[in-house]
Structure formats: structure tokens, C-alpha cells
Amino acid sequence: MTDETTYSISDLSQEFDITTRSIRFYEDQGLLSPQRRGQTRIYSRQDRVRLKLILRGKRLGFSLNECRELLELYDHTTSGSEMQLQLLLTRITERRAVLEQQLKDIELMQRELDSVEQRCREELQERHGQATKDSVA
Amino acid sequence: MTDETTYSISDLSQEFDITTRSIRFYEDQGLLSPQRRGQTRIYSRQDRVRLKLILRGKRLGFSLNECRELLELYDHTTSGSEMQLQLLLTRITERRAVLEQQLKDIELMQRELDSVEQRCREELQERHGQATKDSVA
DNA sequence: ATACATATTTACGTTTACGTAAACATACAT
DNA sequence: ATGTATGTTTACGTAAACGTAAATATGTAT
């Protein structure tokens, strides 16, 4: 039951709202390697998943090199030697640490936005006399 | 009770493990504006807080321009006109959306790391016969 | 067959976020 | 006074992540 679903480069660029240039660049950097029919690139469902992972990494501020490392974590799960598997566990731990720092950063930033928003609303209320409060029931 | 605590540029570069070049660059880009004693820069506690916020933004993949916008959200809380305050609330909402997307991305990525780690451990167990299991009590 | 859209390669350009080096000023210790 | 450390400005360099343009190929509709 090999899934034969494929995508063109413009399919993917439209779906994910990126340029074809970017997709080819990711291939250049070794993050993708679609099949070819003649010259044209044919992307499999796996390729599409990889692209999704790349973009997710980018949204978290990871460089393309870091994204590639993440993809390699996936690929090499069963392949490498024992030492490589141990090393892989180490990389996973490192990655986790970064993610948890980001979680903390997000929480702090959310609280700061809360406080700015509140100060902002208070200021608006003062200017409005005391009309249009906070839509309290 | 004005807090007179100040920092030199190298104080801050050491504390946050960045180069003095970076700190001056942030000033160049309008993210910092320390006082001067003659030529040398004197950083206040407020400046230090701003630097902290900048670095937090960077860890979340924000550009320096975005970091500056975040700082401006802070600064203009009570200053602007009503329209500017409304606009500020809009910007806050936008920022929140980005943060929530990042939260989702982090959760997904954590789960993926979980699954990679598990596959990796299983593979290691097979190679070890069934020795050194998962240190179960 | 021809037009037209889509895809490809090649290569130079651009922005961001600094690194690095040079040349000079300031301050403090000895 | 002379190092030595720290700080400053100025300016050129660089890596990452694409943008953009040009020239060419391929496929598809009519």
C-alpha cells in the first residue's frame, strides 16, 4: 500500500505560503531531496512532512542547520551505531532544554503583554470618564 | 528613592554572555540608549531590563526590529493618543497569536522528540540483548 | 505548431546581525 | 611616566536565508 500521492513545487509553495525559491533552497542545503521526473521535482508525502517540520522549526527561530539536525534525528533512529544512538539521545536532551527555555520565555512574555494590556485599558478608561467599562454583566 | 545602580558595558556583556559589539549594535538599532559619562556608556537598571527583554525576544526567534516593537509596547503604555492606544491593543493581540502558535509548535516538537527517543531506546535495548532495561524498581 | 504557464539552472543582489581590525581616548596601577 | 585594561568610533567583512533576474526547458491547451 505505497502511497503514491505527490505534489509539485507550486502545490507546496501555495499550501505553505512560501516561494518556490525557498523550497529549492532547502533542497540545496540538504533538507529535502525530492524525486525527479526528468527535470521537474516530484514531492512525496514524506517530503511534505519534512517541509512542515522545517517550517515549524523556523517559526521557533531555528536556523536551517538546526532544522536539518532535527530532521536527521528522525532519520537516523534505527540506523546508526550504538555510540551514534547514545549521541542522539544527548542531542535530544539538548533540544528539549532549548524548548523548555522557550516555554519559560513565552510565559514571561505573555505576562508582560497582560500587564501592558491592562495598563493600556486603564488609561483608555480614564480618558472615557468611566463610560464603556469592561462589558461586565 | 531613585535607584542609582549602574553597569558598564562589560558588566552586561559578561552577565548575559554576549559581546560588547552586540550591545553597541542594539544601541545603533535604537533598542538601547544608555547615558554617557564623557565617552563611556553607563547602563541603568532599566537599560539592563531592556537588554534582558531583547535577549528573550531573540531566543524566541524575533528579529531586532520585532524586539524593538515589543520594547515600544512597553514604553508607550500611557503616552499615546487614544487611537494609538487602540492600535497598541491590536499589536498586543497580534503578538499573542504568534506566541500561541509557538506554544503549539513546541508541544508538537516535544512529542516528536518523545517518539524519537523511545524508538532510539528500543533500538538500544535490542542490541543489548535484554540487559540494562529502563532502571525499573 | 504555437502560445502560454510552469519549472529549472545560474548567478548576482540584499538584509540581518553581528565579527574583526585599526586607531585613538581614558583611567588606574606601579 | 608608562604600561595595562577597558572603552570608543569607523569601517570593512561575513554567514544565513532568501530575492530577483535571465536564459532555457518542458508540458499543456487549442
Side-chain angles (χ1 to χ4, degrees):
Chain A
M1 207 168 111
T2 57
D3 188 341
E4 291 295 341
T5 313
T6 64
Y7 310 85
S8 76
I9 195 168
S10 47
D11 284 345
L12 294 181
S13 82
Q14 282 169 39
E15 176 175 1
F16 295 115
D17 196 31
I18 56 179
T19 66
T20 59
R21 176 69 178 91
S22 298
I23 297 177
R24 291 197 198 93
F25 185 76
Y26 300 156
E27 182 178 343
D28 242 50
Q29 304 301 304
L31 308 195
L32 290 173
S33 39
Q35 286 186 303
R36 298 281 184 132
R37 185 160 52 201
Q39 287 278 64
T40 79
R41 282 160 243 249
I42 309 292
Y43 297 87
S44 69
R45 267 192 46 246
Q46 269 307 312
D47 290 325
R48 183 168 162 282
V49 168
R50 289 177 75 86
L51 182 52
K52 241 187 193 170
L53 292 175
I54 294 167
L55 298 176
R56 179 182 301 156
K58 296 217 70 195
R59 282 197 299 273
L60 293 176
F62 293 175
S63 72
L64 288 185
N65 271 325
E66 290 173 315
C67 289
R68 184 178 43 208
E69 285 182 21
L70 282 168
L71 290 176
E72 284 168 3
L73 292 193
Y74 268 116
D75 300 340
H76 292 314
T77 301
T78 54
S79 76
S81 71
E82 177 162 346
M83 215 194 66
Q84 281 175 327
L85 287 174
Q86 292 291 357
L87 212 152
L88 208 156
L89 287 176
T90 306
R91 312 302 299 267
I92 291 175
T93 303
E94 290 167 3
R95 281 289 131 209
R96 265 197 235 281
V98 175
L99 292 181
E100 303 215 347
Q101 178 62 56
Q102 287 187 314
L103 277 178
K104 287 179 197 167
D105 287 330
I106 289 175
E107 281 174 26
L108 286 173
M109 206 173 269
Q110 280 178 333
R111 289 185 195 177
E112 283 151 15
L113 288 180
D114 287 346
S115 113
V116 174
E117 178 169 4
Q118 198 175 0
R119 273 183 289 162
C120 187
R121 290 199 186 284
E122 283 166 6
E123 184 66 18
L124 277 170
Q125 272 189 30
E126 281 183 25
R127 309 206 183 182
H128 267 285
Q130 59 248 43
T132 48
K133 245 202 133 186
D134 202 7
S135 63
V136 187
Chain B
M1 209 166 107
T2 55
D3 189 339
E4 291 294 342
T5 314
T6 63
Y7 310 85
S8 75
I9 195 168
S10 46
D11 285 344
L12 294 181
S13 82
Q14 283 169 37
E15 176 176 359
F16 296 115
D17 195 32
I18 56 180
T19 67
T20 60
R21 176 69 178 92
S22 299
I23 298 177
R24 291 197 198 94
F25 185 76
Y26 300 156
E27 183 178 343
D28 243 51
Q29 303 301 304
L31 308 195
L32 291 173
S33 39
Q35 286 186 302
R36 298 280 185 132
R37 186 161 51 201
Q39 287 278 66
T40 79
R41 280 158 244 250
I42 310 291
Y43 297 87
S44 69
R45 268 192 45 247
Q46 269 307 315
D47 291 324
R48 183 169 161 282
V49 167
R50 290 177 74 86
L51 182 53
K52 242 186 192 169
L53 293 174
I54 294 167
L55 298 176
R56 180 182 301 156
K58 295 216 72 195
R59 281 196 301 272
L60 293 176
F62 293 174
S63 73
L64 288 184
N65 271 326
E66 290 174 314
C67 289
R68 184 179 44 211
E69 286 182 20
L70 282 169
L71 290 176
E72 284 168 3
L73 292 192
Y74 268 114
D75 300 340
H76 293 315
T77 302
T78 54
S79 76
S81 72
E82 177 162 346
M83 215 194 66
Q84 282 174 327
L85 287 174
Q86 292 292 357
L87 211 153
L88 208 156
L89 287 176
T90 305
R91 311 303 298 268
I92 290 175
T93 303
E94 291 167 2
R95 282 289 133 207
R96 263 197 236 281
V98 175
L99 292 181
E100 302 215 349
Q101 177 62 56
Q102 287 187 315
L103 276 178
K104 287 179 196 165
D105 288 330
I106 289 176
E107 281 173 28
L108 286 173
M109 204 172 271
Q110 280 178 334
R111 288 185 196 176
E112 283 151 16
L113 288 181
D114 288 346
S115 113
V116 174
E117 177 170 4
Q118 199 175 359
R119 274 183 289 161
C120 186
R121 290 198 185 285
E122 284 166 5
E123 184 66 18
L124 277 171
Q125 272 187 30
E126 282 183 24
R127 309 207 182 183
H128 267 284
Q130 59 248 42
T132 48
K133 248 203 128 185
D134 203 7
S135 63
V136 187

